[in-house]
Amino acid sequence: MERAPRFAADLAHLPTSAHGPRATTWWGTLGFILIEATGFALAAAAYFYLMGQTETWPPGQSPPDWLWGTLQLVLMLASLWPNWWTDRVAHADDLRKVRIGLVAMSAVGLLTLVVRAFEFGALNCRWDDNAYGSMVWVLLGLHATHLITDVGDTLVLTVLMFTKHVEPRRFTDVTDNCVYWNFVVAAWVPLWALLYVVPRVV
Amino acid sequence: MSPRDASPFIRRDGPALEEVETYARLERTWATPPGLWGWLSSVDHKQVGRRYIVTAFVFFLLAGLLALAMRMQLAGPEQTLLTPDRYNQIFTMHGTTMMFLFAVPVMEAFAIYLVPLMVGTRAIAFPRLNAFSYWVYLAGGVMLWVAFILNVGPDVGWFSYVPLAGPQFSPGKRTDFWAQMITFTEVAALAVAVEIIVTVFKQRAPGMSLNRIPLFVWGQLVTSFMVVFAMPAVMVSSSMLIMDRLIGTHFFNPAEGGDALLWQHLFWFFGHPEVYIIFLPATGFVSSILPTFARRPIFGYTALVLALVATGFLGFGLWVHHMFVTGLPHLGNSFYTAASMAIAVPSGIQIFCWLATLWDGRPRFATPLLFVIGFIVIFVLGGLSGIMLASVPIDSQVHDTYFVVAHFHYVLIGGAVFPLFGAVYYWFPKFTGRMLSERAGAWNFGLFFVGFNLAFFPMHILGLIGMPRRVYSYPAGLGWDDLNLLATAGATILAAGVLVFLGNVWHSLKYGLVADDNPWGAATLEWATTSPPPSFNFVHIPVVTGSNPLWEEPDGLPVVGGLRVDQRELLLTSVVDAEPEVREPSPEPSIWPLLSATAVTILFIGSIFTPWAVVWGSIPLAVGLIGWFWPKSAPDTPEPVID
Ligand code: HEM
Ligand SMILES: [Cu+2]
């Protein structure tokens, strides 16, 4: 560094936080969504592969009961609205409304976990019955893991938004969390079809 | 503040702040705290990258020792150095360690160190995740090796085929350690892939549009995407395996509707791309070294980028060629044969561009270039035997013989280890501030080249005359004795080359020539800062005006100012054109990544012994993650009004 540097521009005017594709965390969230979507797709492919190897599907059991899984579907689709709203008010850095949105989303999240517990009870198979049972439990378990992580994340964020740590970047965290919830819901739609519809139509 | 500091309130770099003062303030802001605590909480990508590199090389040496043990055992017929059971563990540990603990991590390690420097930024994206990934990788490797030392090392081959690896034929914990090692290393690899993608997308220096990204960075970017799509397959399959073994699921159990070939499909859906995950970064080494030593820009930049991307896609169409002998439908086989041969096209384009660069340049035959030329020669040979294997009739003949062992060592050692050693000679001055000895380097290369070919060429013939792989011994009189002895002699020469390398590193660290910023006269940004680079990489963020910035701006690169010097701050730019967009804060050092990794380790290892570990193990993990993400201080000090 003997030579004096040649300054081409002064970037001091740039903002220090951003939402969406201008922020690194948005891309990071997208990266992890890609990874997990690949995991879901491969597990679903394994389901079809095993189904193709078996004469009757499900082999000797009845398919999972409609009630809880479908209730879950309705609940999740309905949750898209408060999620969208939370995302919007976070984009506007509106702390009061973000708090409302997060509390609502925490409640919805906890509710989906309760429903999930009932879903496990209504599968009509055990994981160690046969390959079908193993597949069903793993698919539902994989999705449950995502539910638990996202609900946990939402709860922590909610608490955080009531502390002194509120700053512009926290709103970016909220929007990323909303993106992730959309993914959890989007993943449930085909999984629900796989677990509840496919065994009834083949 | 020092008395000569005329501007105590200026907190950003720029013409108003003296260079010396800028440097000092940046150092205060970015330096990792001293002492053990600082070491454990470091999030500097250069420190983490160095640890990754050193650790991966330690695993290379360990796996190499196992290879030597196998070659000693096989040097002559009916030897008794190793028992059959020990031999099974040793070839499994060798293959597993080389693939999962050496080859993939060492390539990522170079990305962690070099990509942020090459794109001209101060830090990697998500530096705490980066530190976390290192600890997880380390824990997985140590777990596997401790298990091996306690005689519970895996013994069913590096791809753990069921039913052999299933609960019925492999009771005990050996295979469980293998499956959990997969989980550890894949978590680490996936984290690094996301970091690299985001670093390349969002943190490039202003002006580094897509068509100016160095080829090494392109290679790492395509590799990271391959990791994202390939590694989940092996995580899914190894989790299914461990559940079959531990909680009685039936994924691979034909008696209960499972299917053994499901394992092979899932494993090779990952396993074939794995070869390119190792190979593409190596081509990045080659494309960095060649122009520097040919002293001209790389020939066919666009063709090379397209070849990388094409390889990335084709790599996913090929997995079935590992399963030709499993009796899949014939039409399917023909398709995969065609696809396996199609991948020769992008490889051919790459080789052509490299040769053209060399041909048209004024080559200077320093050690890095020697390794690159060795790579080209060996890789062409390995590719030829690969094209042979892509044909179903030939594969059916030589499947599971030493022909295959010869082939994949030509591809892996020729295609990855030679460029890697070239890369070590090339970037060692940047990493350490010292040059490696060129004379020892030439010896290192010569011993490698001769030893390697002596060790592995005879294995082609051994395979063709019928020697199966994975046998702990063989009877005399089959005509295999001389060739095996030759292979062992070659392996010994190769080992001598490794010793020369270690001696060279050790000696040069103390007495090597001191390297200046750009000792080879290279063109990319990592050479625009000191050797080794300061904690903040660049005093000012450089502006890129072409594909070979240091050649095109011999009077020094233009820079931008305005980033804070009193807080860790990065410049984010747009994805395509790298236009400045945001100044984003970058995390401080933290102990939480290590604590979280410890929690993960307890959970993973515990789950080998009881499924409940997943439940109670998630509590410390949750604590770790909350501690990690919970903000430490009151909101950032507000920016100064006057500057
Ligand atoms: C450094 C010199 C090396 C020597 C002398 C060596 C030697 C061997 C030998 C003799 C085997 C066959 C064992 C058997 O089938 O009975 C083997 C297997 C293998 N090697 Fe190497 N190797 C070397 C380096 C590497 C490297 C650098 C890699 C990967 C990056 C690698 C990956 C493998 C794999 C994946 C297997 C298959 C293991 C299995 O069958 O499960 N080797 N090696
Ligand atoms: Cu392959």
Side-chain angles (χ1 to χ4, degrees):
Chain A
M1 280 289 132
E2 304 88 19
R3 270 188 240 98
R6 286 188 286 140
F7 284 98
D10 182 3
L11 303 177
H13 63 281
L14 290 180
T16 53
S17 75
H19 298 300
R22 286 154 69 92
T24 50
T25 44
W26 187 86
W27 289 95
T29 311
L30 203 66
F32 283 102
I33 287 178
L34 268 186
I35 291 169
E36 286 147 30
T38 310
F40 279 124
L42 288 163
Y47 180 99
F48 281 117
Y49 181 87
L50 291 175
M51 189 170 95
Q53 311 286 316
T54 313
E55 292 286 309
T56 51
W57 193 263
Q61 295 112 318
S62 32
D65 299 343
W66 278 113
L67 177 64
W68 294 107
T70 312
L71 186 65
Q72 183 76 291
L73 184 70
V74 174
L75 187 62
M76 285 201 176
L77 290 177
S79 76
L80 288 177
W81 182 75
N83 192 50
W84 169 83
W85 186 81
T86 312
D87 187 47
R88 211 190 52 167
V89 295
H91 271 281
D93 291 9
D94 184 334
L95 180 59
R96 200 182 57 85
K97 288 186 177 160
V98 164
R99 284 177 176 163
I100 298 173
L102 281 176
V103 170
M105 286 309 294
S106 301
V108 173
L110 290 171
L111 201 58
T112 61
L113 286 182
V114 174
V115 175
R116 179 54 42 95
F118 284 103
E119 272 186 86
F120 275 110
L123 287 177
N124 295 325
C125 64
R126 273 173 59 95
W127 64 90
D128 53 2
D129 285 347
N130 49 31
Y132 161 80
S134 312
M135 216 48 254
V136 167
W137 275 78
V138 155
L139 284 168
L140 198 64
L142 198 59
H143 193 260
T145 317
H146 286 76
L147 267 188
I148 294 172
T149 352
D150 197 45
V151 173
D153 191 43
T154 311
L155 289 172
V156 173
L157 262 180
T158 310
V159 175
L160 205 53
M161 287 316 250
F162 285 94
T163 65
K164 64 180 192 315
H165 295 294
V166 180
E167 54 176 320
R169 257 178 301 150
R170 291 288 93 73
F171 293 103
T172 309
D173 295 344
V174 175
T175 58
D176 291 334
N177 188 53
C178 292
V179 171
Y180 196 79
W181 181 257
N182 286 336
F183 163 67
V184 173
V185 175
W188 181 240
V189 178
L191 278 184
W192 168 82
L194 196 60
L195 294 177
Y196 293 88
V197 182
V198 168
R200 291 187 161 82
V201 297
V202 291
Chain B
M1 299 283 148
S2 59
R4 68 183 155 65
D5 178 11
S7 46
F9 297 110
I10 296 185
R11 296 190 179 149
R12 304 200 184 112
D13 70 329
L17 195 63
E18 266 180 71
E19 284 299 282
V20 203
E21 185 59 27
T22 311
Y23 193 101
R25 291 195 192 178
L26 281 169
E27 183 61 29
R28 266 203 301 279
T29 305
W30 284 87
T32 300
L36 180 64
W37 187 261
W39 195 86
L40 294 174
S41 33
S42 171
V43 294
D44 181 335
H45 72 98
K46 298 176 291 303
Q47 294 190 4
V48 175
R50 264 200 328 253
R51 285 175 204 172
Y52 249 112
I53 294 175
V54 171
T55 312
F57 268 97
V58 169
F59 284 123
F60 173 70
L61 294 179
L62 291 172
L65 288 176
L66 297 183
L68 274 184
M70 289 191 287
R71 283 317 321 165
M72 291 305 154
Q73 166 73 11
L74 296 176
E78 290 164 51
Q79 303 227 75
T80 52
L81 179 65
L82 302 172
T83 62
D85 178 64
R86 190 51 89 172
Y87 191 88
N88 287 348
Q89 287 188 63
I90 286 184
F91 76 69
T92 304
M93 284 294 292
H94 165 77
T96 302
T97 303
M98 282 293 190
M99 299 300 275
F100 294 103
L101 300 176
F102 163 65
V104 174
V106 83
M107 298 300 171
E108 284 165 355
F110 271 76
I112 291 170
Y113 194 104
L114 288 171
V115 165
L117 288 164
M118 280 192 170
V119 302
T121 183
R122 293 205 194 286
I124 198 167
F126 315 128
R128 290 185 180 172
L129 185 65
N130 192 34
F132 171 78
S133 87
Y134 172 74
W135 298 121
V136 169
Y137 155 64
L138 180 69
V142 169
M143 174 200 73
L144 187 75
W145 272 79
V146 168
F148 173 61
I149 290 164
L150 299 178
N151 201 25
V152 268
D155 58 355
V156 289
W158 82 279
F159 39 64
S160 272
Y161 274 2
V162 290
L164 178 60
Q168 195 182 352
F169 298 103
S170 290
K173 295 286 172 207
R174 288 182 172 184
T175 304
D176 302 316
F177 281 110
W178 182 88
Q180 278 316 51
M181 179 281 308
I182 295 283
T183 317
F184 276 103
T185 50
E186 308 314 86
V187 166
L190 286 164
V192 175
V194 172
E195 294 154 25
I196 296 296
I197 291 174
V198 178
T199 307
V200 177
F201 274 13
K202 291 304 296 174
Q203 296 183 203
R204 303 199 307 278
M208 190 183 278
S209 46
L210 291 183
N211 59 336
R212 291 176 183 163
I213 297 180
L215 282 163
F216 174 80
V217 176
W218 267 114
Q220 291 286 359
L221 181 66
V222 175
T223 305
S224 300
F225 273 104
M226 293 189 80
V227 168
V228 163
F229 292 114
M231 300 268 175
V234 72
M235 284 189 71
V236 167
S237 55
S238 69
S239 308
M240 286 175 167
L241 176 63
I242 208 166
M243 285 190 278
D244 268 15
R245 296 174 51 84
L246 298 178
I247 58 169
T249 56
H250 299 288
F251 296 105
F252 307 120
N253 175 9
E256 291 294 347
D259 187 87
L261 282 189
L262 175 61
W263 169 265
Q264 294 199 23
H265 279 296
L266 285 172
F267 187 87
W268 289 117
F269 184 84
F270 142 83
H272 188 81
E274 166 95 338
V275 176
Y276 294 95
I277 289 169
I278 295 169
F279 174 59
L280 290 187
T283 68
F285 295 151
V286 174
S287 296
S288 306
I289 292 171
L290 265 178
T292 301
F293 292 93
R295 289 179 274 188
R296 61 148 288 157
I298 192 92
F299 177 88
Y301 173 90
T302 313
L304 283 167
V305 173
L306 292 177
L308 283 170
V309 176
T311 312
F313 278 102
L314 284 173
F316 283 95
L318 298 188
W319 79 94
V320 175
H321 71 195
H322 295 270
M323 300 166 61
F324 281 156
V325 296
T326 55
L328 295 166
H330 275 286
L331 178 67
N333 277 354
S334 314
F335 169 78
Y336 289 107
T337 298
S340 302
M341 295 200 176
I343 204 150
V345 175
S347 302
I349 292 176
Q350 285 173 301
I351 301 257
F352 173 79
C353 292
W354 291 328
L355 289 179
T357 309
L358 208 53
W359 183 262
D360 191 50
R362 294 170 291 127
R364 188 174 48 176
F365 290 93
T367 312
L369 188 59
L370 295 182
F371 275 102
V372 164
I373 291 171
F375 149 75
I376 294 180
V377 172
I378 297 170
F379 187 70
V380 169
L381 292 175
L384 289 180
S385 57
I387 294 209
M388 290 168 72
L389 286 176
S391 130
V392 177
I394 297 185
D395 185 55
S396 312
Q397 277 305 312
V398 298
H399 188 84
D400 270 343
T401 70
Y402 261 88
F403 189 89
V404 174
V405 177
H407 159 67
F408 64 68
H409 283 89
Y410 264 78
V411 177
L412 288 167
I413 299 185
V417 176
F418 271 74
L420 174 70
F421 274 80
V424 172
Y425 278 88
Y426 184 56
W427 279 294
F428 190 84
K430 186 51 65 184
F431 297 163
T432 66
R434 302 244 180 204
M435 310 290 288
L436 282 168
S437 152
E438 277 291 305
R439 215 160 68 100
W443 274 100
N444 184 174
F445 169 73
L447 291 169
F448 259 43
F449 192 80
V450 173
F452 167 75
N453 283 292
L454 272 184
F456 291 99
F457 194 79
M459 291 189 198
H460 288 107
I461 308 172
L462 278 171
L464 290 173
I465 61 178
M467 179 164 169
R469 67 191 282 198
R470 298 175 168 173
V471 288
Y472 87 104
S473 189
Y474 52 92
L478 292 173
W480 300 351
D481 310 7
D482 294 345
L483 288 169
N484 267 307
L485 188 59
L486 197 59
T488 302
T492 316
I493 297 176
L494 195 57
V498 176
L499 283 182
V500 170
F501 170 73
L502 292 177
N504 195 358
V505 168
W506 182 78
H507 190 263
S508 301
L509 276 177
K510 285 191 182 152
Y511 311 109
L513 289 177
V514 173
D516 61 22
D517 294 4
N518 190 3
W520 309 113
T524 38
L525 290 183
E526 77 274 28
W527 305 104
T529 183
T530 51
S531 307
S535 53
F536 44 90
N537 291 352
F538 301 92
V539 181
H540 311 286
I541 301 298
V543 175
V544 172
T545 52
S547 312
N548 297 286
L550 268 56
W551 290 347
E552 285 142 9
E553 301 275 353
D555 300 329
L557 298 166
V559 298
V560 289
L563 259 64
R564 290 184 75 157
V565 293
D566 63 336
Q567 269 189 25
R568 298 184 173 213
E569 197 170 74
L570 302 176
L571 176 61
L572 304 190
T573 54
S574 62
V575 175
V576 175
D577 295 323
E579 300 276 1
E581 281 183 348
V582 181
R583 294 179 289 126
E584 197 181 62
S586 180
E588 302 275 330
S590 162
I591 195 71
W592 287 103
L594 174 58
L595 297 180
S596 303
T598 312
V600 164
T601 305
I602 294 170
L603 191 158
F604 284 173
I605 297 183
S607 69
I608 293 178
F609 298 95
T610 158
W612 288 106
V614 178
V615 179
W616 47 254
S618 61
I619 297 166
L621 180 57
V623 174
L625 293 178
I626 292 173
W628 176 341
F629 288 104
W630 197 263
K632 294 302 160 308
S633 52
D636 297 342
T637 37
E639 293 201 85
V641 197
I642 21 147
D643 34 288

